[in-house]
Short mmCIF file of all heavy atoms in Angstrom, two decimals:
data_model
loop_
_atom_site.label_atom_id
_atom_site.label_comp_id
_atom_site.label_asym_id
_atom_site.label_seq_id
_atom_site.Cartn_x
_atom_site.Cartn_y
_atom_site.Cartn_z
N LYS A 1 102.83 101.06 131.12
CA LYS A 1 102.68 100.78 129.69
C LYS A 1 102.94 102.06 128.88
O LYS A 1 103.61 102.04 127.85
CB LYS A 1 101.27 100.24 129.41
CG LYS A 1 101.05 99.92 127.94
CD LYS A 1 99.60 99.62 127.61
CE LYS A 1 99.43 99.52 126.11
NZ LYS A 1 98.04 99.36 125.69
N MET A 2 102.39 103.19 129.36
CA MET A 2 102.57 104.47 128.65
C MET A 2 104.06 104.84 128.57
O MET A 2 104.54 105.35 127.57
CB MET A 2 101.81 105.59 129.37
CG MET A 2 100.30 105.46 129.27
SD MET A 2 99.69 105.64 127.57
CE MET A 2 98.10 104.87 127.72
N LYS A 3 104.77 104.55 129.65
CA LYS A 3 106.21 104.83 129.68
C LYS A 3 106.92 103.98 128.64
O LYS A 3 107.78 104.46 127.89
CB LYS A 3 106.75 104.52 131.08
CG LYS A 3 107.97 105.30 131.47
CD LYS A 3 108.25 105.14 132.95
CE LYS A 3 109.47 105.98 133.31
NZ LYS A 3 109.77 105.90 134.74
N ALA A 4 106.53 102.71 128.58
CA ALA A 4 107.18 101.76 127.66
C ALA A 4 106.99 102.15 126.20
O ALA A 4 107.87 101.92 125.37
CB ALA A 4 106.64 100.35 127.90
N ILE A 5 105.83 102.75 125.86
CA ILE A 5 105.58 103.09 124.45
C ILE A 5 105.87 104.57 124.15
O ILE A 5 105.59 105.06 123.06
CB ILE A 5 104.13 102.74 124.03
CG1 ILE A 5 103.10 103.52 124.87
CG2 ILE A 5 103.89 101.25 124.12
CD1 ILE A 5 101.66 103.36 124.38
N GLY A 6 106.41 105.28 125.15
CA GLY A 6 106.83 106.67 124.92
C GLY A 6 105.73 107.70 125.02
O GLY A 6 105.86 108.82 124.54
N TRP A 7 104.62 107.34 125.67
CA TRP A 7 103.51 108.29 125.82
C TRP A 7 103.50 109.00 127.17
O TRP A 7 102.75 109.96 127.36
CB TRP A 7 102.16 107.57 125.63
CG TRP A 7 101.76 107.40 124.19
CD1 TRP A 7 102.50 106.81 123.20
CD2 TRP A 7 100.53 107.81 123.58
NE1 TRP A 7 101.80 106.81 122.02
CE2 TRP A 7 100.58 107.42 122.22
CE3 TRP A 7 99.38 108.44 124.05
CZ2 TRP A 7 99.54 107.65 121.33
CZ3 TRP A 7 98.33 108.67 123.15
CH2 TRP A 7 98.42 108.28 121.81
N ALA A 8 104.29 108.52 128.12
CA ALA A 8 104.21 109.06 129.49
C ALA A 8 104.53 110.55 129.54
O ALA A 8 103.94 111.29 130.33
CB ALA A 8 105.15 108.28 130.41
N GLY A 9 105.43 111.00 128.67
CA GLY A 9 105.83 112.40 128.70
C GLY A 9 104.96 113.32 127.86
O GLY A 9 105.20 114.52 127.78
N LYS A 10 103.94 112.76 127.22
CA LYS A 10 103.10 113.59 126.34
C LYS A 10 102.17 114.48 127.16
O LYS A 10 101.72 114.11 128.24
CB LYS A 10 102.24 112.70 125.42
CG LYS A 10 103.04 112.04 124.31
CD LYS A 10 102.10 111.46 123.26
CE LYS A 10 102.91 110.81 122.13
NZ LYS A 10 102.09 110.50 120.98
N THR A 11 101.86 115.64 126.59
CA THR A 11 100.84 116.51 127.19
C THR A 11 99.48 116.10 126.63
O THR A 11 99.41 115.40 125.60
CB THR A 11 101.08 117.98 126.83
OG1 THR A 11 100.96 118.12 125.40
CG2 THR A 11 102.47 118.44 127.27
N LEU A 12 98.42 116.54 127.27
CA LEU A 12 97.07 116.25 126.78
C LEU A 12 96.88 116.82 125.38
O LEU A 12 96.26 116.18 124.52
CB LEU A 12 96.03 116.83 127.74
CG LEU A 12 94.56 116.55 127.40
CD1 LEU A 12 94.28 115.05 127.29
CD2 LEU A 12 93.64 117.18 128.43
N GLU A 13 97.47 118.00 125.13
CA GLU A 13 97.36 118.62 123.79
C GLU A 13 97.99 117.73 122.72
O GLU A 13 97.44 117.57 121.63
CB GLU A 13 98.05 120.00 123.77
CG GLU A 13 97.27 121.10 124.47
CD GLU A 13 97.16 120.89 125.99
OE1 GLU A 13 98.12 120.33 126.58
OE2 GLU A 13 96.11 121.25 126.55
N GLN A 14 99.15 117.14 123.04
CA GLN A 14 99.82 116.25 122.07
C GLN A 14 98.98 115.00 121.81
O GLN A 14 98.89 114.52 120.67
CB GLN A 14 101.21 115.86 122.60
CG GLN A 14 102.21 117.00 122.54
CD GLN A 14 103.51 116.65 123.25
OE1 GLN A 14 103.49 116.08 124.35
NE2 GLN A 14 104.63 116.99 122.65
N VAL A 15 98.36 114.47 122.86
CA VAL A 15 97.51 113.27 122.71
C VAL A 15 96.29 113.60 121.84
O VAL A 15 95.93 112.83 120.95
CB VAL A 15 97.07 112.74 124.10
CG1 VAL A 15 96.01 111.67 123.96
CG2 VAL A 15 98.28 112.17 124.84
N LEU A 16 95.69 114.76 122.09
CA LEU A 16 94.54 115.17 121.28
C LEU A 16 94.94 115.39 119.81
O LEU A 16 94.17 115.10 118.90
CB LEU A 16 93.90 116.43 121.86
CG LEU A 16 93.19 116.26 123.21
CD1 LEU A 16 92.84 117.61 123.81
CD2 LEU A 16 91.93 115.41 123.06
N GLU A 17 96.16 115.86 119.61
CA GLU A 17 96.67 116.04 118.24
C GLU A 17 96.83 114.68 117.56
O GLU A 17 96.52 114.52 116.37
CB GLU A 17 98.02 116.78 118.30
CG GLU A 17 98.63 117.10 116.94
CD GLU A 17 97.68 117.85 115.99
OE1 GLU A 17 96.93 118.73 116.44
OE2 GLU A 17 97.70 117.53 114.78
N ASP A 18 97.29 113.68 118.31
CA ASP A 18 97.39 112.31 117.77
C ASP A 18 96.01 111.79 117.36
O ASP A 18 95.85 111.14 116.32
CB ASP A 18 98.00 111.36 118.82
CG ASP A 18 99.50 111.55 118.98
OD1 ASP A 18 100.12 112.14 118.07
OD2 ASP A 18 100.04 111.09 120.00
N VAL A 19 95.01 112.04 118.21
CA VAL A 19 93.64 111.63 117.92
C VAL A 19 93.16 112.29 116.63
O VAL A 19 92.56 111.65 115.77
CB VAL A 19 92.69 111.96 119.09
CG1 VAL A 19 91.22 111.77 118.70
CG2 VAL A 19 93.02 111.09 120.31
N ASP A 20 93.46 113.58 116.50
CA ASP A 20 93.06 114.31 115.30
C ASP A 20 93.71 113.72 114.05
O ASP A 20 93.05 113.55 113.02
CB ASP A 20 93.44 115.79 115.45
CG ASP A 20 92.92 116.62 114.28
OD1 ASP A 20 91.68 116.64 114.08
OD2 ASP A 20 93.73 117.22 113.56
N GLN A 21 95.00 113.39 114.14
CA GLN A 21 95.70 112.80 112.99
C GLN A 21 95.09 111.45 112.61
O GLN A 21 94.93 111.13 111.43
CB GLN A 21 97.19 112.62 113.32
CG GLN A 21 97.96 113.93 113.29
CD GLN A 21 99.44 113.72 113.57
OE1 GLN A 21 99.90 112.60 113.75
NE2 GLN A 21 100.18 114.80 113.61
N CYS A 22 94.74 110.66 113.62
CA CYS A 22 94.12 109.36 113.37
C CYS A 22 92.76 109.56 112.69
O CYS A 22 92.45 108.88 111.70
CB CYS A 22 93.95 108.61 114.69
SG CYS A 22 93.18 106.99 114.51
N CYS A 23 91.96 110.49 113.21
CA CYS A 23 90.64 110.76 112.61
C CYS A 23 90.78 111.28 111.18
O CYS A 23 89.99 110.92 110.31
CB CYS A 23 89.86 111.78 113.46
SG CYS A 23 89.28 111.10 115.02
N HIS A 24 91.80 112.10 110.95
CA HIS A 24 92.04 112.63 109.60
C HIS A 24 92.33 111.48 108.62
O HIS A 24 91.76 111.43 107.52
CB HIS A 24 93.21 113.62 109.63
CG HIS A 24 93.51 114.22 108.30
ND1 HIS A 24 92.71 115.17 107.70
CD2 HIS A 24 94.52 113.98 107.41
CE1 HIS A 24 93.20 115.51 106.53
NE2 HIS A 24 94.30 114.79 106.31
N ALA A 25 93.19 110.54 109.05
CA ALA A 25 93.53 109.39 108.20
C ALA A 25 92.29 108.53 107.93
O ALA A 25 92.07 108.09 106.80
CB ALA A 25 94.62 108.56 108.86
N LEU A 26 91.49 108.30 108.97
CA LEU A 26 90.27 107.49 108.81
C LEU A 26 89.26 108.19 107.90
O LEU A 26 88.64 107.57 107.04
CB LEU A 26 89.63 107.22 110.18
CG LEU A 26 90.40 106.29 111.12
CD1 LEU A 26 89.76 106.30 112.50
CD2 LEU A 26 90.45 104.87 110.57
N SER A 27 89.13 109.50 108.09
CA SER A 27 88.19 110.28 107.28
C SER A 27 88.58 110.24 105.80
O SER A 27 87.72 110.08 104.93
CB SER A 27 88.17 111.74 107.78
OG SER A 27 87.38 112.53 106.93
N GLN A 28 89.88 110.35 105.53
CA GLN A 28 90.34 110.31 104.13
C GLN A 28 90.10 108.93 103.51
O GLN A 28 89.71 108.83 102.36
CB GLN A 28 91.83 110.67 104.09
CG GLN A 28 92.07 112.16 104.33
CD GLN A 28 93.30 112.65 103.58
OE1 GLN A 28 94.37 112.11 103.76
NE2 GLN A 28 93.15 113.67 102.77
N ARG A 29 90.35 107.88 104.30
CA ARG A 29 90.16 106.51 103.78
C ARG A 29 88.68 106.23 103.51
O ARG A 29 88.32 105.60 102.54
CB ARG A 29 90.71 105.49 104.79
CG ARG A 29 90.52 104.03 104.33
CD ARG A 29 91.35 103.75 103.07
NE ARG A 29 91.12 102.44 102.49
CZ ARG A 29 90.11 102.10 101.70
NH1 ARG A 29 89.16 102.99 101.41
NH2 ARG A 29 90.03 100.91 101.17
N LEU A 30 87.82 106.73 104.41
CA LEU A 30 86.38 106.49 104.26
C LEU A 30 85.82 107.28 103.08
O LEU A 30 85.05 106.75 102.28
CB LEU A 30 85.65 106.87 105.55
CG LEU A 30 84.14 106.64 105.57
CD1 LEU A 30 83.80 105.15 105.46
CD2 LEU A 30 83.53 107.22 106.85
N GLY A 31 86.20 108.55 102.98
CA GLY A 31 85.69 109.40 101.91
C GLY A 31 84.17 109.46 101.92
O GLY A 31 83.56 109.66 102.96
N THR A 32 83.56 109.22 100.76
CA THR A 32 82.09 109.26 100.67
C THR A 32 81.47 107.86 100.66
O THR A 32 80.28 107.71 100.42
CB THR A 32 81.66 110.00 99.38
OG1 THR A 32 82.26 109.32 98.26
CG2 THR A 32 82.12 111.44 99.39
N GLN A 33 82.30 106.84 100.92
CA GLN A 33 81.77 105.46 100.92
C GLN A 33 80.95 105.21 102.19
O GLN A 33 81.20 105.82 103.22
CB GLN A 33 82.94 104.46 100.91
CG GLN A 33 83.90 104.62 99.75
CD GLN A 33 85.06 103.65 99.89
OE1 GLN A 33 85.22 102.78 99.05
NE2 GLN A 33 85.86 103.78 100.93
N PRO A 34 80.02 104.27 102.14
CA PRO A 34 79.28 103.93 103.36
C PRO A 34 80.16 103.22 104.39
O PRO A 34 79.98 103.39 105.59
CB PRO A 34 78.15 103.01 102.87
CG PRO A 34 78.57 102.53 101.53
CD PRO A 34 79.48 103.57 100.95
N TYR A 35 81.10 102.41 103.90
CA TYR A 35 82.02 101.68 104.79
C TYR A 35 83.44 101.83 104.25
O TYR A 35 83.65 102.28 103.14
CB TYR A 35 81.64 100.20 104.87
CG TYR A 35 80.23 99.99 105.39
CD1 TYR A 35 79.20 99.60 104.52
CD2 TYR A 35 79.92 100.21 106.72
CE1 TYR A 35 77.90 99.43 104.99
CE2 TYR A 35 78.62 100.06 107.20
CZ TYR A 35 77.62 99.66 106.33
OH TYR A 35 76.34 99.52 106.79
N PHE A 36 84.42 101.41 105.04
CA PHE A 36 85.82 101.63 104.65
C PHE A 36 86.21 100.88 103.39
O PHE A 36 87.08 101.31 102.65
CB PHE A 36 86.76 101.27 105.81
CG PHE A 36 86.79 102.34 106.87
CD1 PHE A 36 85.97 102.25 107.99
CD2 PHE A 36 87.57 103.47 106.71
CE1 PHE A 36 85.96 103.25 108.95
CE2 PHE A 36 87.56 104.48 107.66
CZ PHE A 36 86.76 104.37 108.78
N PHE A 37 85.55 99.74 103.15
CA PHE A 37 85.80 99.02 101.90
C PHE A 37 84.51 98.96 101.09
O PHE A 37 84.00 97.90 100.76
CB PHE A 37 86.42 97.64 102.18
CG PHE A 37 87.82 97.75 102.71
CD1 PHE A 37 88.05 97.81 104.08
CD2 PHE A 37 88.90 97.85 101.85
CE1 PHE A 37 89.34 97.96 104.58
CE2 PHE A 37 90.20 97.99 102.34
CZ PHE A 37 90.41 98.04 103.70
N ASN A 38 83.97 100.16 100.88
CA ASN A 38 82.80 100.41 100.04
C ASN A 38 81.48 99.91 100.61
O ASN A 38 81.03 100.42 101.62
CB ASN A 38 83.03 99.91 98.61
CG ASN A 38 82.14 100.65 97.63
OD1 ASN A 38 81.41 101.56 98.02
ND2 ASN A 38 82.17 100.26 96.38
N LYS A 39 80.87 98.87 100.01
CA LYS A 39 79.46 98.60 100.34
C LYS A 39 79.23 97.68 101.53
O LYS A 39 78.15 97.64 102.09
CB LYS A 39 78.77 97.98 99.10
CG LYS A 39 78.80 98.91 97.88
CD LYS A 39 77.42 99.10 97.33
CE LYS A 39 77.26 100.21 96.32
NZ LYS A 39 78.40 100.47 95.44
N GLN A 40 80.23 96.90 101.90
CA GLN A 40 80.04 95.93 102.98
C GLN A 40 80.93 96.25 104.18
O GLN A 40 82.11 96.58 104.00
CB GLN A 40 80.36 94.51 102.48
CG GLN A 40 79.43 94.00 101.41
CD GLN A 40 77.98 93.94 101.87
OE1 GLN A 40 77.69 93.59 103.01
NE2 GLN A 40 77.05 94.28 100.98
N PRO A 41 80.40 96.13 105.40
CA PRO A 41 81.26 96.40 106.55
C PRO A 41 82.25 95.27 106.81
O PRO A 41 81.99 94.11 106.46
CB PRO A 41 80.26 96.49 107.71
CG PRO A 41 79.11 95.64 107.30
CD PRO A 41 79.03 95.77 105.80
N THR A 42 83.40 95.62 107.39
CA THR A 42 84.39 94.63 107.82
C THR A 42 84.66 94.86 109.30
O THR A 42 84.07 95.75 109.92
CB THR A 42 85.72 94.81 107.05
OG1 THR A 42 86.25 96.12 107.38
CG2 THR A 42 85.54 94.71 105.55
N GLU A 43 85.57 94.07 109.86
CA GLU A 43 85.90 94.26 111.28
C GLU A 43 86.51 95.64 111.54
O GLU A 43 86.42 96.16 112.66
CB GLU A 43 86.82 93.14 111.80
CG GLU A 43 88.01 92.81 110.96
CD GLU A 43 87.75 91.63 110.00
OE1 GLU A 43 86.66 91.56 109.40
OE2 GLU A 43 88.67 90.81 109.85
N LEU A 44 87.11 96.26 110.51
CA LEU A 44 87.62 97.63 110.68
C LEU A 44 86.47 98.58 111.00
O LEU A 44 86.58 99.44 111.88
CB LEU A 44 88.36 98.08 109.42
CG LEU A 44 88.78 99.57 109.39
CD1 LEU A 44 89.77 99.90 110.51
CD2 LEU A 44 89.38 99.94 108.03
N ASP A 45 85.35 98.44 110.29
CA ASP A 45 84.19 99.31 110.52
C ASP A 45 83.67 99.13 111.95
O ASP A 45 83.32 100.10 112.62
CB ASP A 45 83.07 98.98 109.52
CG ASP A 45 83.50 99.28 108.09
OD1 ASP A 45 83.42 100.45 107.69
OD2 ASP A 45 83.94 98.34 107.41
N ALA A 46 83.65 97.88 112.43
CA ALA A 46 83.19 97.61 113.80
C ALA A 46 84.12 98.26 114.81
O ALA A 46 83.67 98.89 115.78
CB ALA A 46 83.12 96.11 114.03
#
């Protein structure tokens, strides 16, 4: 599966960088709200 999606050749450092980018995007979207869409949780929060 990793080969099919182009991840097989990645180094661990590159994978961790992807995780960081994902967390950065999530952190920016969340901001200071309690949940991603403000006051009520959705399946994204879960």
Side-chain angles (χ1 to χ4, degrees):
K1 180 190 172 186
M2 291 295 160
K3 207 168 182 178
I5 61 172
W7 278 55
K10 287 194 179 192
T11 63
L12 183 57
E13 285 67 33
Q14 287 172 317
V15 170
L16 291 169
E17 183 53 39
D18 285 342
V19 170
D20 185 59
Q21 285 182 2
C22 180
C23 288
H24 181 73
L26 291 171
S27 174
Q28 287 211 304
R29 179 65 186 81
L30 182 65
T32 57
Q33 303 176 116
Y35 301 106
F36 283 95
F37 291 91
N38 204 3
K39 300 233 168 33
Q40 295 300 322
T42 63
E43 48 265 42
L44 172 63
D45 296 278

